[in-house]
Amino acid sequence: MDSIWINAPAKINIGLDVIRRREDGYHEVKMIMQSIRLFDRLTLTKTKEPGIKLTTNLSYLPVNEDNLVYQSAKRLMDEFHLEGGLDIKLDKRIPVAAGMAGGRTDAASWMLAINDLYGLGLSKRHLMKRGVKLGADIPYCILKGTALSEGIGEKLSTIPAMPSCYILIAKPNIHVSTKWVYTNLVLDEHTNHPDIDGMLASMKKRDLSLSNQIGNVLESVTIPAYPQIAAIKDCMLQNGALGSLMSGSGPTVFGIFDDKDKAMAAKEKCRELPYRCFVFVTDLYR
């Protein structure tokens, strides 16, 4: 096998809580992660000429050591002394800097693909141990599906799958710095922490009432700075969403729907907002 392709799914945070800031500067988190059917596609082809050639459909993305796909490729090729080179084509469909782990799911899927392409025989756990060195979200992006993420994001537990539903994604045309959000997050006795344990209990019951429980502590930082996020949430809730939340540090907003027609109608309402948005209706990736 000289060539392989793989889909890299986006993720959303059904629940995101920050427990504390650690002495090393990292934040200890407790999150419920969910993959959705919005994909980037990676195509890998072996070449006789040594080196890594990365191309993308977006001209502004880096194609050198600044790209996580390139970094993860080089690490595995160096570790296993893989001969020849690789031609990597990245077809980007997940919005960039959206709070949906687009770059990290690409790096994770690349590691899965090269494991198959070269027959390295690494388990997912072995790949996850390597991936965490590049980013705390990468182990989850290797695992995929529905998971509880703790520690700095590297401690993962599989949990009951989220009940079937439709997801409306709306990403406004703004950029939010994850570093800025975490730097400005205030954790004190007034912080409104989401009930992650309550969400887990609802998921065990396969109950979409968890839509009323979803929460993201980072909204307390991002929404005051970018009020259009709140407006998008309100639009979804007023048009049939069972619940709506910002994913990650933002700016993407998602809505949970029990009916596809409702989700599609809400999508059109989001298009009418006075903000330029990427909007997309999909379902869960298990």
Side-chain angles (χ1 to χ4, degrees):
M1 183 168 58
D2 294 324
S3 184
I4 191 172
W5 64 265
I6 188 170
N7 282 332
K11 68 85 184 169
I12 54 176
N13 297 98
I14 302 301
L16 193 163
D17 194 14
V18 179
I19 310 301
R20 66 184 180 94
R21 182 186 176 97
R22 306 192 324 183
E23 291 182 2
D24 60 8
Y26 287 98
H27 287 80
E28 188 173 317
V29 299
K30 191 171 185 179
M31 306 183 290
I32 299 176
M33 317 276 273
Q34 176 63 56
S35 302
I36 60 172
R37 300 186 68 82
L38 171 59
F39 304 102
D40 290 343
R41 175 172 284 199
L42 286 153
T43 304
L44 290 68
T45 304
K46 293 180 183 178
T47 62
K48 292 181 179 179
E49 183 179 348
I52 299 166
K53 180 184 177 183
L54 173 63
T55 57
T56 81
N57 60 319
L58 299 180
S59 60
Y60 55 83
L61 288 181
V63 292
N64 53 19
E65 292 86 350
D66 294 328
N67 190 297
L68 278 176
V69 171
Y70 192 105
Q71 293 175 34
S72 60
K74 190 172 189 312
R75 286 196 178 207
L76 276 182
M77 294 192 75
D78 289 347
E79 178 183 355
F80 290 94
H81 308 288
L82 302 179
E83 296 181 356
L86 273 175
D87 181 25
I88 308 170
K89 290 183 172 61
L90 171 58
D91 186 14
K92 196 82 179 141
R93 292 291 177 262
I94 302 169
V96 177
M100 292 193 288
R104 286 166 172 75
T105 192
D106 293 341
S109 295
W110 149 256
M111 296 176 75
L112 290 164
I114 198 171
N115 188 46
D116 288 343
L117 186 62
Y118 286 91
L120 300 181
L122 297 172
S123 67
K124 281 191 175 182
R125 289 293 173 185
H126 285 127
L127 290 171
M128 288 159 70
K129 286 181 180 178
R130 289 165 171 82
V132 74
K133 297 174 182 177
L134 290 171
D137 281 352
I138 291 180
Y140 166 72
C141 293
I142 292 171
L143 182 65
K144 302 183 179 69
T146 314
L148 175 67
S149 174
E150 298 176 279
I152 62 170
E154 87 287 6
K155 297 177 182 177
L156 295 169
S157 307
T158 54
I159 57 177
M162 186 176 174
S164 296
C165 59
Y166 295 93
I167 303 294
L168 170 59
I169 296 294
K171 192 265 180 185
N173 190 28
I174 55 176
H175 174 76
V176 177
S177 165
T178 299
K179 182 179 179 180
W180 175 84
V181 172
Y182 275 94
T183 298
N184 286 277
L185 177 65
V186 176
L187 297 174
D188 57 24
E189 65 274 13
H190 303 295
T191 302
N192 184 19
H193 292 276
D195 182 9
I196 301 296
D197 291 336
M199 292 180 220
L200 292 172
S202 293
M203 293 178 82
K204 288 180 181 178
K205 297 176 184 177
R206 306 284 296 162
D207 189 352
L208 268 182
S209 66
L210 73 91
S211 304
N212 297 318
Q213 301 168 283
I214 60 176
N216 181 346
V217 73
L218 300 182
E219 287 188 341
S220 64
V221 180
T222 310
I223 287 181
Y226 301 96
Q228 54 266 62
I229 293 173
I232 295 170
K233 287 182 62 178
D234 288 342
C235 180
M236 291 187 183
L237 291 169
Q238 290 168 12
N239 288 279
L242 301 176
S244 183
L245 194 69
M246 182 183 80
S247 184
S249 57
T252 296
V253 175
F254 68 89
I256 300 172
F257 292 80
D258 59 3
D259 180 86
K260 188 174 182 179
D261 289 340
K262 290 180 184 177
M264 296 299 293
K267 172 184 171 181
E268 295 308 312
K269 291 295 183 180
C270 287
R271 286 186 186 276
E272 295 173 7
L273 290 170
Y275 319 114
R276 183 182 170 192
C277 286
F278 167 88
V279 287
F280 187 79
V281 173
T282 185
D283 56 5
L284 308 179
Y285 179 84
R286 305 185 186 279

